[in-house]
């Protein structure tokens, strides 16, 4: 349908603005032109209005305009246009949490395009086929769909579709365990992204997809590199080459991109990277910005931001604030594990920690979907199992974690940390070996908190081997890192352990047993001690049994008297007359 003469200048300006990816301008112009129902926009301009509405945050208007565009394409007998718009409707409805509507529009898209020869629009159906095959654990079908998508994309000559098809192919290979091949294809696709060769939509898609894959595959190096690039792009303006989503020729010169709803989507990965690098204050602030920026169809990203904030607050010792963040994440649909389990452990609720992790591991049983997610659950399970004295349970978790690690540096460091902690609990002489590998791994990755935690374990191993000087050095380094990060409970623990290294402890007590005895002497209950030392009440009771046996006492009163007599506790100040 031709655009009426009186509106032609506005629509022409809107098309030009869209070609320049100035979406706010395009939206304003098209929305104004669309206010004349007797002079309706044609299907292509309705499709453009839907794009402009999405980019400017009007998600409901985007869907409404695309529904009208589909009807207009059908009326015009344009099966390719109708099929493309139907696929977009399926995509948008899925993001909005309406799976039935999404399934219906996907079926319509297939119906419109099934009789057409291979065309650019069918790339999107091939992408969907690949994702569905992966969801059904059919790597052969997934690979066939990805290869078909890549073939159609190359035939179209469209840079957007070519880059996206390589990314989809990479995802299939990575899920099938073909890591080297998958990463090579992913690197190739991201070259086009970082070089600014793609349109805004495809740039945002590829950044989001690649960053998610890097984090899920625990490829921290690529995650850091591409997160920095993504945030530079999101903070616009930056020169972006334009190309048509459907492979049609909409030429346009490089122009500033200023309207960017991908900012919140990319920022969540920035939060994850900042968290790992130890920039906790900035990461927490960025998590707050994510919740402000994401659109209504991306609430899962807001859930991730709430969870990330909870993780930071938990490690800082802000346990109540962490609980609130985890609750918000849960409300938005994110299972807040393993963070919630570690919070419960810090609160002395070991049973809740064990149960929470057991359920989370049962629900997330497929490491191909999220390798890092399962690895983190297993690492937490190891920590909790050791805290409650379940060495067999810890050993099972460590074995699975080591099987997942392969040659991935991040996962290898996690596995070595868990193996070293288990060996230390078993009093194995070789415990320092995996711990030193873990420390080297975390330092190479520039991840300070985990490195400091390993140093504390190494100090215990060094002391068990009789090397007090090495233990002191490790604890001093750990304390300095914890204090810089703001990890208050860990810093206090390292300081207390360091103070106990300056002299031999009486009665054959270990450093941790001396800490427990000091708190007993100060009147602390088992719950108080568990919260102060971030261990379970079960572990406190086990330490008390060991203390009573070593000191040959049978009560807390007698143990307190021993602590005062041997300088392990400061006498309470006497009242002045």
């Amino acid at each position: 349908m031709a655009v009426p003469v009186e509106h032609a200048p506005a629509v022409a300006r809107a098309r030009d603005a869209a070609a320049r990816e100035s979406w706010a301008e395009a939206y304003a112009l098209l929305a104004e032109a669309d206010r004349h129902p007797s002079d309706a926009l044609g299907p292509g301009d309705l499709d453009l209005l839907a794009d402009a509405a999405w980019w400017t945050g009007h998600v409901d208007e985007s869907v409404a305009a695309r529904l009208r565009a589909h009807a207009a394409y059908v009326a015009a007998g344009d099966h390719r246009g109708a099929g493309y718009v139907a696929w977009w409707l399926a995509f948008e409805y899925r993001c909005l949490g309406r799976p039935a509507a999404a399934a219906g529009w996907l079926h319509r898209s297939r119906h419109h395009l099934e009789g057409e020869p291979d065309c650019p629009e069918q790339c999107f159906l091939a992408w969907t086929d690949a994702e569905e095959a992966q969801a059904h654990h059919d790597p052969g079908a997934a690979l066939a769909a990805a290869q078909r998508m890549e073939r159609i994309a190359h035939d179209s000559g469209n840079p957007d579709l070519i880059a996206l098809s390589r990314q989809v192919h990479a995802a299939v290979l990575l899920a099938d365990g073909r890591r080297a091949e998958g990463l090579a294809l992913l690197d190739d696709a991201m070259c086009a992204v970082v070089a600014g060769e793609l349109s805004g939509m495809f740039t945002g898609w590829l950044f989001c997809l690649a960053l998610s894959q890097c984090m899920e595959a625990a490829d921290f190096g690529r995650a850091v590199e591409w997160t920095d690039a993504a945030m530079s792009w999101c903070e616009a303006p930056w020169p972006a080459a334009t190309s048509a989503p459907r492979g049609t020729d909409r030429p346009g010169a490089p122009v500033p991109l200023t309207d960017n709803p991908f900012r919140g989507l990319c920022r969540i990965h920035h939060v994850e990277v900042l968290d790992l690098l130890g920039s906790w204050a900035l990461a927490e602030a960025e998590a707050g910005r994510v919740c402000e920026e994401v659109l209504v169809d991306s609430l899962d990203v807001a859930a991730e931001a709430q969870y990330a904030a909870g993780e930071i607050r938990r490690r800082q010792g802000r346990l109540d604030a962490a609980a609130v963040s985890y609750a918000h994440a849960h409300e938005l649909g994110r299972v807040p594990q393993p963070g919630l389990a570690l919070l419960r452990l810090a609160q002395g609720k070991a049973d809740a920690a064990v149960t929470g992790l057991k359920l989370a591991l049962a629900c997330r049983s497929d490491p191909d979907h999220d390798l890092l997610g399962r690895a983190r659950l297993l690492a937490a399970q190891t920590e909790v199992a050791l805290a409650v004295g379940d060495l067999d349970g810890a050993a099972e978790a460590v074995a699975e974690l080591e099987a997942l690690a392969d040659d991935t540096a991040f996962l290898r460091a996690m596995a070595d940390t868990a193996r070293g902690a288990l060996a230390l609990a078993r009093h194995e002489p070789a415990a320092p070996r995996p711990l030193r590998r873990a420390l080297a791994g975390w330092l190479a990755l520039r991840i300070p908190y985990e490195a400091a935690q390993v140093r504390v374990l190494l100090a215990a191993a060094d002391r068990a081997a009789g090397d007090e000087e090495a233990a002191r050095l490790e604890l001093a380094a750990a304390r300095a890192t914890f204090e810089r990060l703001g990890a208050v409970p860990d810093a206090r623990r390292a300081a207390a352990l360091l103070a106990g290294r300056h002299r031999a402890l009486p009665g054959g007590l270990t450093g941790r047993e001396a800490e427990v005895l000091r708190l007993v002497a100060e009147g602390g209950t088992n719950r108080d001690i568990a919260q102060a030392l971030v261990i379970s009440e079960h572990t406190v009771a086990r330490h008390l049994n060991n203390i009573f046996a070593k000191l040959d006492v049978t009560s807390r009163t007698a143990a307190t008297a021993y602590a005062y007599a041997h300088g392990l506790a400061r006498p309470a100040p006497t009242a002045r007359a």
Side-chain angles (χ1 to χ4, degrees):
M1 181 182 298
V3 176
V5 174
E6 63 268 27
H7 301 312
V11 173
R13 293 199 306 275
R15 292 170 183 166
D16 176 68
R20 291 183 284 107
E21 296 190 322
S22 181
W23 293 109
E25 179 186 356
Y27 172 74
L29 290 166
L30 287 169
E32 176 61 29
D34 195 43
R35 288 192 178 97
H36 304 274
S38 61
D39 301 326
L41 297 175
D45 291 321
L46 285 169
D47 196 5
L48 206 58
L49 174 58
D51 288 342
W54 184 85
W55 278 96
T56 52
H58 303 89
V59 177
D60 290 340
E61 290 182 46
S62 173
V63 173
R66 221 173 297 275
L67 287 168
R68 292 168 58 202
H70 174 265
Y73 276 124
V74 171
D78 185 344
H79 295 292
R80 287 176 56 182
Y84 170 71
V85 171
W87 182 90
W88 258 106
L89 284 165
F91 179 84
E92 289 186 297
Y93 277 125
R94 184 177 66 178
C95 292
L96 288 168
R98 296 181 58 184
W105 282 104
L106 181 61
H107 183 269
R108 281 196 176 188
S109 179
R110 295 188 191 282
H111 175 72
H112 287 307
L113 296 174
E114 64 184 357
E116 299 293 319
D118 283 350
C119 56
E121 291 82 0
Q122 289 177 342
C123 276
F124 298 96
L125 287 178
W127 180 14
T128 301
D129 291 339
E131 289 187 332
E132 289 181 347
Q134 284 184 282
H136 290 91
H137 305 285
D138 189 344
L143 183 59
Q147 290 172 334
R148 178 170 181 263
M149 180 183 180
E150 200 165 15
R151 185 182 70 253
I152 297 172
H154 278 282
D155 290 344
S156 77
N158 182 276
D160 285 341
L161 294 177
I162 291 170
L164 180 62
S165 68
R166 286 175 179 162
Q167 197 282 334
V168 172
H169 192 175
V172 171
L173 293 174
L174 289 170
D176 197 32
R178 296 161 64 176
R179 187 179 180 86
E181 297 173 76
L183 290 176
L185 269 178
L186 191 58
D187 288 343
D188 184 289
M190 293 306 293
C191 281
V193 175
V194 177
E197 298 171 359
L198 309 181
S199 68
M201 177 61 75
F202 283 76
T203 297
W205 264 352
L206 266 73
F207 267 133
C208 288
L209 292 168
L211 289 172
S212 294
Q213 285 180 338
C214 287
M215 293 306 297
E216 290 171 2
D219 193 325
F220 187 60
R222 283 180 172 83
V224 171
E225 182 177 347
W226 291 339
T227 298
D228 289 342
M231 292 313 300
S232 295
W233 175 72
C234 284
E235 296 299 344
W238 70 282
T242 61
S243 58
R246 288 175 50 199
T248 56
D249 47 346
R250 293 181 189 167
V255 291
L257 175 64
T258 55
D259 311 302
N260 200 332
F262 283 105
R263 187 176 292 115
L265 302 178
C266 291
R267 197 181 300 281
I268 186 58
H269 300 295
H270 193 217
V271 171
E272 294 169 339
V273 167
L274 289 172
D275 180 12
L276 288 169
L277 292 176
S279 300
W280 288 356
L282 182 55
E284 187 174 2
E286 289 283 89
R289 294 182 67 186
V290 169
C291 296
E292 296 172 358
E293 292 171 347
V294 294
L295 301 180
V296 68
D297 60 349
S298 303
L299 293 182
D300 56 324
V301 178
E304 288 297 333
Q306 291 287 355
Y307 179 79
E311 288 290 88
I312 294 167
R313 292 161 182 168
R314 173 179 60 80
R315 285 170 292 177
Q316 290 176 329
R318 299 156 57 196
L319 302 189
D320 290 342
V324 170
S325 295
Y326 291 142
H328 286 325
H330 184 264
E331 289 169 5
L332 292 168
R334 206 277 194 200
V335 176
Q337 296 291 5
L340 183 59
L342 295 176
L343 172 65
R344 295 303 180 223
L345 184 64
Q347 294 171 326
K349 301 174 182 178
D351 290 344
V354 171
T355 302
L357 284 175
K358 182 179 179 180
L359 291 173
L361 282 163
C363 293
R364 190 179 287 182
S365 59
D366 181 10
D368 290 340
H369 175 66
D370 184 359
L371 185 61
L372 180 58
R374 184 159 184 85
R376 281 175 163 159
L377 288 172
L378 291 168
Q381 186 184 38
T382 303
E383 182 176 344
V384 170
L386 291 176
V388 301
D390 180 11
L391 297 187
D392 290 339
E396 291 178 7
V398 170
E400 184 178 348
L401 184 53
E402 288 178 324
L404 293 180
D406 196 21
D407 60 348
T408 307
F410 192 101
L411 297 182
R412 188 72 262 163
M414 290 179 70
D416 285 336
T417 301
R419 171 57 66 186
L422 176 61
L424 187 62
R426 288 172 166 172
H427 307 290
E428 296 175 4
R433 193 175 305 156
L435 291 174
R436 295 198 186 284
R437 287 199 307 267
L439 179 59
W442 293 125
L443 291 176
L445 289 167
R446 297 181 294 123
I447 298 179
Y449 180 73
E450 281 72 8
Q453 284 188 311
V454 172
R455 287 190 187 279
V456 174
L457 294 173
L458 266 173
D462 289 336
R463 184 174 186 276
D467 192 343
E468 294 289 343
E469 179 65 14
R472 187 186 66 79
L473 290 172
E474 295 292 3
L475 285 172
R479 182 181 64 177
T481 299
F482 289 140
E483 289 176 345
R484 177 175 61 80
L485 292 173
V488 176
D490 293 292
R492 288 174 178 168
R493 177 188 174 202
L497 289 171
L498 188 61
R501 295 290 184 255
H502 295 306
R503 56 189 173 82
L505 294 172
L509 295 174
T510 66
R512 177 46 65 92
E513 289 166 352
E515 288 180 272
V516 172
L517 180 56
R518 175 179 60 81
L519 293 171
V520 167
E522 292 175 1
T525 64
N526 283 17
R527 178 180 291 273
D528 294 334
I529 296 168
Q531 292 181 349
L533 300 181
V534 197
I535 57 178
S536 70
E537 291 183 55
H538 176 91
T539 302
V540 172
R542 181 160 51 85
H543 284 314
L544 282 174
N545 286 336
N546 292 339
I547 291 167
F548 288 179
K550 289 180 179 181
L551 304 185
D552 194 25
V553 299
T554 58
S555 69
R556 297 172 86 97
T557 301
T560 297
Y562 185 97
Y564 286 139
H566 291 82
L568 295 175
R570 294 186 297 274
T574 57
R576 294 184 178 181

